[in-house]
Amino acid sequence: MSLYDIYGNEIQTGGTGGSSQSELQRKFSGKNIVWLGDSIHAYTQPDGVTVPYLFQYDSKANCYNWAQGGTTMALMGVANYDPFCGANMVKALISRDFADQETHMADRGFTTQVAEMKAFDMSKAHTVIIEFGTNDNWKLVGLDNETDLYDTTTTGGALRYIIKTLLTAYPKLNIAVCNIQGGINGTKNEGLELVYTSEQRNEIIENVCDELNIPLIDIYNGLGENDYTKDTLFYGKPHLSHQGKLKQVKLIENRLVQLF
């Protein structure tokens, strides 16, 4: 069976192949996989497909891609972005109150996704994949708050809230969290003052995963970015080229086969 992009062109998936591919399908065929994240998993440029779409093709799972460009794990105080941050997306999915998302779904180009969220029964989800952090760094979101571990204006607090909220409602739900690429630096004063690095954001993401016993998908080390690969992995960093998407989806597939 061939795979085609949104323009009707046949593409190569570079899927896991062989017994690994069979194992992926054995474990995930027909399962409902929810994807929450930012443009790394939302964008179809330049090849017309997304990482969740490639996962769906390889695994035969049902993927619900509710990632959106520009979004963060945490609340930022921006009216048309906050409804789609990780913390508020999960809040809506569990409470079934999508009023904030409906208010801004048209201007954010998210109307179809909100309709899917409203119709979807979260009790039927097998796995939730969480992929935020790039925009948290760029938009200078706080890392964590030691006096309030559930402060959803920080990445650490928002991730704790997301995980605890999902597992309180659905204790048998599988959750996996992606960390972020290297070289994602948050700066101010016209880029001259370094505030956050990928390593600092990833330390928070990884600490929360360890604390709550949630598996990590190590994009930071696994993507294999270096001077030789950077031109083929990216379509304008941090967005992935077709080859970059194949690498990222393979990392996710291999990890999930190990985990679940």
Side-chain angles (χ1 to χ4, degrees):
M1 178 179 177
S2 297
L3 175 65
Y4 296 89
D5 65 21
I6 60 173
Y7 310 108
N9 301 312
E10 185 174 355
I11 65 173
Q12 299 299 313
T13 68
T16 53
S19 60
S20 296
Q21 185 77 354
S22 298
E23 182 72 356
L24 180 74
Q25 291 182 11
R26 186 183 71 79
K27 289 191 172 186
F28 293 98
S29 178
K31 300 293 194 305
N32 296 320
I33 314 297
V34 171
W35 301 69
L36 302 176
D38 56 35
S39 60
I40 306 301
H41 287 174
Y43 281 12
T44 59
Q45 294 90 338
D47 54 352
V49 295
T50 63
V51 169
Y53 179 80
L54 292 170
F55 183 92
Q56 177 169 284
Y57 178 83
D58 284 346
S59 67
K60 311 308 177 191
N62 305 312
C63 286
Y64 295 85
N65 186 1
W66 298 329
Q68 183 184 129
T71 51
T72 52
M73 191 93 73
L75 282 73
M76 297 185 297
V78 180
N80 63 338
Y81 274 87
D82 274 0
F84 306 103
C85 76
N88 275 342
M89 289 279 277
V90 167
K91 180 180 178 182
L93 285 167
I94 300 305
S95 71
R96 312 309 300 166
D97 180 358
F98 295 94
D100 290 343
Q101 288 74 24
E102 289 176 311
T103 298
H104 297 286
M105 63 187 181
D107 62 282
R108 295 298 306 139
F110 216 65
T111 301
T112 299
Q113 292 88 335
V114 171
E116 280 187 351
M117 291 169 69
K118 291 179 68 176
F120 184 71
D121 180 354
M122 277 297 294
S123 70
K124 302 293 179 24
H126 178 272
T127 301
V128 174
I129 298 171
I130 298 164
E131 176 272 316
F132 293 98
T134 296
N135 293 299
D136 295 65
N137 248 24
W138 283 347
K139 297 177 182 182
L140 306 182
V141 168
L143 294 173
D144 212 351
N145 181 352
E146 292 182 359
T147 64
D148 180 3
L149 294 180
Y150 291 89
D151 178 355
T152 54
T153 66
T154 68
T155 296
L159 184 54
R160 286 186 192 90
Y161 172 84
I162 288 168
I163 294 167
K164 285 286 193 178
T165 300
L166 287 171
L167 291 181
T168 298
Y170 305 108
K172 295 183 179 179
L173 182 67
N174 298 308
I175 299 174
V177 177
C178 299
N179 61 11
I180 66 173
Q181 302 167 12
I184 303 298
N185 296 324
T187 62
K188 61 182 180 180
N189 296 330
E190 298 182 349
L192 298 176
E193 184 180 346
L194 180 63
V195 181
Y196 298 120
T197 64
S198 293
E199 291 78 10
Q200 290 171 306
R201 191 71 52 180
N202 281 339
E203 183 178 5
I204 296 301
I205 292 171
E206 292 161 19
N207 285 347
V208 172
C209 288
D210 286 345
E211 175 188 325
L212 300 179
N213 197 29
I214 295 297
L216 183 79
I217 301 171
D218 189 1
I219 302 301
Y220 176 82
N221 288 298
L223 199 57
E225 178 186 357
N226 57 43
D227 288 342
Y228 301 100
T229 63
K230 63 183 181 181
D231 291 335
T232 59
L233 287 174
F234 300 106
Y235 175 70
K237 187 176 173 66
H239 300 130
L240 299 167
S241 66
H242 183 62
Q243 290 301 317
K245 291 176 187 179
L246 295 181
K247 188 68 177 288
Q248 182 131 330
V249 77
K250 192 174 293 185
L251 289 171
I252 294 169
E253 290 172 355
N254 290 343
R255 186 74 171 117
L256 293 191
V257 164
Q258 293 173 348
L259 291 168
F260 310 130

